[in-house]
Amino acid sequence: MTNQRTTSGGGPRVAISIEFMKSFSALPSPIRKKVHQTLTKFQISPGTHGLNLEKIAGAADATMRSLRVGDNYRAVVSQTGDIYFFCWVDKHDEAYRWAMNKKLIVSPSTGALELIAVEPIPEPAPSAEKPAKPPGLFDRFSDEQLCDLGVPDELLPGVRAIVTEKDLDDREGSFPPVVYFPLLALACGDSYDEVLAEYGRLGDTPVDTSDFSKALDSELSVASFKVIDSSIELQDLLNAPLERWRVFLHPRQRKLVEMSASGPVRVLGSAGTGKTVVAIHRARHLAKKVFTGPNDRILLTTFTKNLAADIRGYLEQICEPDILKRIEVKNIDAWAWNYLKKKGYGAAHVTEEKQKTYWQNALAHRPEEKDFSEQFYKDEWNQIIQPQNIETVERYYRASRLGRGRRLDRKDRKAIWPVFDAYRAELVMNNAKEFEDIYRDAAELLRRDGNQTGYRAVIVDEAQDLSLSAFRMIRHLVPEGPNDLFLVGDARQRIYGYKNSLSAAGINIRGRGKRLYVNYRTTRQTYHYASAVLEGIPFDDLDGEEDPRDGCRSLTSGEPPRYRVFNDSDGELEGIAALAQRFRAENIPLETVCLACRTGALLQRYRAFFASRDIPCHEITGEQSHRAKEPGIRIATMHRIKGIEFDYLILASACEGIIPLREAVDPRENPTDRKLAEKQERSLLYVALTRARKGVFITGYGEKSPYLR
């Protein structure tokens, strides 16, 4: 065995597995504190009297030890030389049962550490006539091919027994990540060569299966094990057990974070697949390892203000101060506005109230002979006039209206143009700008100045919600070149704006489109329930093509969402109060619960009710993060919780006329516009439901929401 590296304090080398973190997060709070104290003592000196590190007799792996944690709890530790792998923690008997058939090995094909279950696969009962074996999910791959992907000999029978994708989902807990993720990639449709390149055998050099130190440092092992080099690092990890995915990036996530790209990268992934996590780690990696000059800056931007505040908080957890100061986090509207103000921009952003007045004045110019609704004019402006920057009727004649549904000939366009001309005149006369204008003006200034922002890279989270004009501005934010743009998103979560295309904005992602498909947040039951809301609806890949598949797998299981409809709104309020009482009775912190509803007016009604019952609550706004220290249930509109997550979600007022919101859908007389509005309403519901880690409670009154019937 090679010499083992020790911690910075001179003690043993301690590694914590993702399995340990899973079991640790399920412990009662007092026991977690004891585990923390025990680990701290052990890290300083594994021979400390009273810790009782004892061999587990009869275990399949002779390296397995138990470590006393209080009177009735034990940590399972694999001791290999001077390395101690913390694998599990549980009550005494449960910990011993867990350890009996577990084995820590170095994969002979990948060189990665694998914590595997070596239980035998039961033989089928003998019968007079042997039934035909159904085809296995991985029958098309040979044993040698599977071994090259990291499947050890001990697990081949279990892999061969997998017939359906559900079988694979059910085996997730018994396969180590370095085995499960390549199999999942194959099941999700990736080719064998793609999976081999990402997860497979390291090369022709034989792997030393006795060198656990080298294996611990391998790229694949970091998906399952975290080396703890200091007591501070240990404290940071154990204080946030439910956020272990920020530490244990699985191989595909890490590959995206650390990839060297020749140009812009687009990453697709369904809700809960860790897109924001990848974006955050990508920013840190670029600042720390790629663009390391004192003046090299990274911009990480997104659409909503409160999500930008959360991202900043996450970066503060993982970045060293000198790295953090070179990463700027700002939502896209604020960035564009601040940039223009520094350049002496004299215009003001138009408020929603002012827009209503300007439209009222402009609509007075509607031709009497045309039966277009007010909403039609606004949709035409937002979908055609603004995105194409049309300023004259002559350009309007030539404008593409693909996807608008209702055909307009030259005579029609001439007749309705005065409405748009008048609205533009209102903006100009009042020195007001919409954000589409602000993006365009910022892009033009950036182009003229030759880009003097100092950014070496721009990372965009929730890219599906940015407009074409915003992407054109982003293209001017950083010079074209290696690692310049990194864009993550999911069209299924598009709740603002309209379909756009990166290539139309001058962003070429050809050959650099990636995907995430492991859901770390949402249980299978909640994810399937939420996905049913979008069933049969096509979505794009953010670059003008249809995204053919979702391809997402949840790693956790739980209770299905519960939908209760009351006779009236007062009954619903009482039901929500009962839920709050239940959370308290079960010692569930109210800060881990969020009540979300469709509109701000409804939100204030729930807020007033909580106040009347002395139930503490904290409203999430653009300026107030859900991570604020104020106690109580988090309350927010469905739009405001995009990009963040909670243990439990209460989706309130889920009834007809509210989900979908009647005012958002009914004014759309054009069938195409109505279909688009309904698609956005469904996406909004999908986003809200997938914010929950553990459970969803849906409440309503009167008639059920047609999307949830």
Side-chain angles (χ1 to χ4, degrees), residues 91-113:
K91 289 183 177 179
H92 179 283
D93 292 349
E94 284 80 355
Y96 271 73
R97 271 195 293 271
W98 182 91
M100 293 307 290
N101 68 334
K102 299 301 188 298
K103 195 172 183 180
L104 185 66
I105 68 170
V106 177
S107 168
S109 58
T110 66
L113 287 169

Side-chain angles (χ1 to χ4, degrees), residues 362-368 372-374 377 415 419:
L363 288 167
H365 297 270
R366 282 186 294 177
E368 294 182 2
F372 300 122
S373 67
E374 292 185 11
Y377 284 98
V419 175

Side-chain angles (χ1 to χ4, degrees), residues 350-365 374 378 419 422-427 429-430 432 434:
V350 62
T351 65
E352 188 175 342
E353 287 302 312
K354 290 290 186 183
Q355 271 187 308
K356 290 179 181 177
T357 300
Y358 299 162
W359 271 115
Q360 186 178 359
N361 295 339
L363 288 167
H365 297 270
E374 292 185 11
K378 293 176 182 178
V419 175
Y423 179 68
R424 178 80 73 183
E426 290 279 343
L427 291 171
M429 184 170 55
N430 290 280
E434 293 184 344

Side-chain angles (χ1 to χ4, degrees), residues 251-263:
R252 174 160 289 201
Q253 288 179 317
R254 188 168 295 279
K255 201 127 188 166
L256 292 174
V257 166
E258 298 178 357
M259 71 182 294
S260 178
S262 59

Side-chain angles (χ1 to χ4, degrees), residues 172-242:
E172 183 271 329
S174 60
F175 287 160
V178 291
V179 172
Y180 179 73
F181 290 129
L183 296 176
L184 178 62
L186 293 175
C188 286
D190 285 6
S191 72
Y192 178 81
D193 289 341
E194 288 174 327
V195 179
L196 182 66
E198 189 156 356
Y199 297 100
R201 185 183 288 276
L202 298 176
D204 296 329
T205 305
V207 172
D208 182 356
T209 57
S210 67
D211 193 343
F212 282 75
S213 179
K214 183 177 180 180
L216 183 56
D217 292 330
S218 78
E219 180 182 319
L220 290 173
S221 292
V222 296
S224 305
F225 294 88
K226 170 67 176 174
V227 177
I228 303 299
D229 287 325
S230 70
S231 58
I232 295 176
E233 192 172 11
L234 175 64
Q235 179 176 328
D236 289 344
L237 178 62
L238 297 186
N239 282 345
L242 295 177

